[in-house]
Amino acid sequence: MTYTNILQKCLPDFGKELLSEMENFGIIKELQAHDFVVKQGQLIRYLPIVLEGYVKVYSEEDGTQFLLYYIQEGASCIFSFAHLFNEDPIDFSAVSEGKVIILHIPVEKAKEWLVRYPSFTNLIMNEFQKHYNDLQYTTKQIICYKLEDRLWDYLKTKAGVSGTYELAVSHQSIADDLGTTREVISRLMKKIELDGKLIQDHRKIKLLISDF
């Protein structure tokens, strides 16, 4: 599939003129697993849009990493959008989960298209609302939910965005995303396994209850 077809498939609501401009001015990059899309402390010079695969967005403070949300195909990042209008370094990182194709739109072009193309504005506003809701939900989980419930919700969310019930993820990676320790995650994973919700096989986790 050509990049033109990928753009058309991923962004079907965009007209030919905008898609043509994206081809002319955008930069398409192919990333492998764990490559940085953006890194905390950088200055934003482009707006990233995920065309294939999905990306994990997280923040880090004093060496502790914390998952914020995922970006899937046809979506951008609420934080990247916010940084289009200032010169401050970004306070989050985004990394690819598996192979990912990213479209980098120069900041000035993104600002221009917000004025010229309603479909582009709608994409940005819809993603802003979606990820704002995601952040509200994450905050509610931290305040109101037990870690075991947060862990189970995390596994279901990761299965949903990756499109598979079998997850190749380590206990340490999960602990990093949830801001806790590997030992705590290992204990809770064993409890969830005994509850009959999943099976663990080395670094693979298979979910057995599809209530999402």
Side-chain angles (χ1 to χ4, degrees):
M1 181 180 291
T2 66
Y3 286 140
T4 299
N5 291 335
I6 291 174
L7 282 171
Q8 291 173 342
K9 173 179 175 290
C10 187
L11 303 166
D13 295 332
F14 288 4
K16 290 183 179 180
E17 183 179 350
L18 176 54
L19 289 175
S20 177
E21 289 214 48
M22 285 185 159
E23 283 192 81
N24 290 334
F25 296 103
I27 300 172
I28 290 181
K29 292 190 174 183
E30 293 189 12
L31 307 180
Q32 303 303 314
H34 311 304
D35 285 345
F36 279 100
V37 179
V38 292
K39 192 171 184 179
Q40 192 163 330
Q42 287 182 336
L43 295 176
I44 285 287
R45 294 289 181 256
Y46 52 83
L47 178 70
I49 294 180
V50 178
L51 300 181
E52 284 191 0
Y54 69 103
V55 169
K56 178 176 73 175
V57 180
Y58 67 91
S59 184
E60 190 169 348
E61 189 69 31
D62 296 329
T64 299
Q65 177 181 311
F66 196 83
L67 175 68
L68 297 173
Y69 52 75
Y70 293 102
I71 305 174
Q72 295 177 264
E73 295 176 8
S76 185
C77 176
I78 180 176
F79 292 108
S80 296
F81 172 66
H83 279 79
L84 290 180
F85 302 99
N86 64 53
E87 296 292 332
D88 297 331
I90 58 175
D91 52 4
F92 68 95
S93 294
V95 296
S96 55
E97 297 272 291
K99 182 179 178 181
V100 173
I101 297 178
I102 298 282
L103 175 67
H104 286 175
I105 298 174
V107 166
E108 293 307 317
K109 278 298 172 182
K111 292 178 180 178
E112 176 187 328
W113 295 345
L114 283 171
V115 177
R116 290 178 55 196
Y117 298 108
S119 57
F120 186 74
T121 304
N122 289 338
L123 169 70
I124 297 301
M125 291 298 100
N126 289 339
E127 289 304 311
F128 193 95
Q129 183 63 54
K130 178 183 181 300
H131 294 313
Y132 177 76
N133 292 341
D134 288 342
L135 289 174
Q136 281 190 314
Y137 182 68
T138 298
T139 302
K140 180 180 177 181
Q141 280 193 315
I142 295 170
I143 295 172
C144 302
Y145 293 3
K146 297 187 299 182
L147 183 56
E148 181 181 339
D149 296 330
R150 288 174 53 208
L151 171 58
W152 180 235
D153 187 76
Y154 166 90
L155 294 171
K156 292 189 294 182
T157 299
K158 196 169 184 67
V161 298
S162 62
T164 177
Y165 296 110
E166 295 190 9
L167 305 176
V169 57
S170 69
H171 288 187
Q172 183 61 61
S173 178
I174 297 171
D176 291 341
D177 285 345
L178 296 181
T180 186
T181 65
R182 181 185 59 79
E183 290 77 14
V184 169
I185 292 300
S186 295
R187 175 173 55 80
L188 291 176
M189 288 290 291
K190 186 63 178 178
K191 183 178 184 301
I192 295 174
E193 184 173 25
L194 291 173
D195 289 340
K197 294 182 178 181
L198 58 81
I199 295 174
Q200 299 185 85
D201 181 17
H202 300 293
R203 290 174 64 101
K204 290 189 177 180
I205 301 165
K206 182 178 182 179
L207 304 190
L208 302 178
I209 298 178
S210 55
D211 57 346
F212 54 97

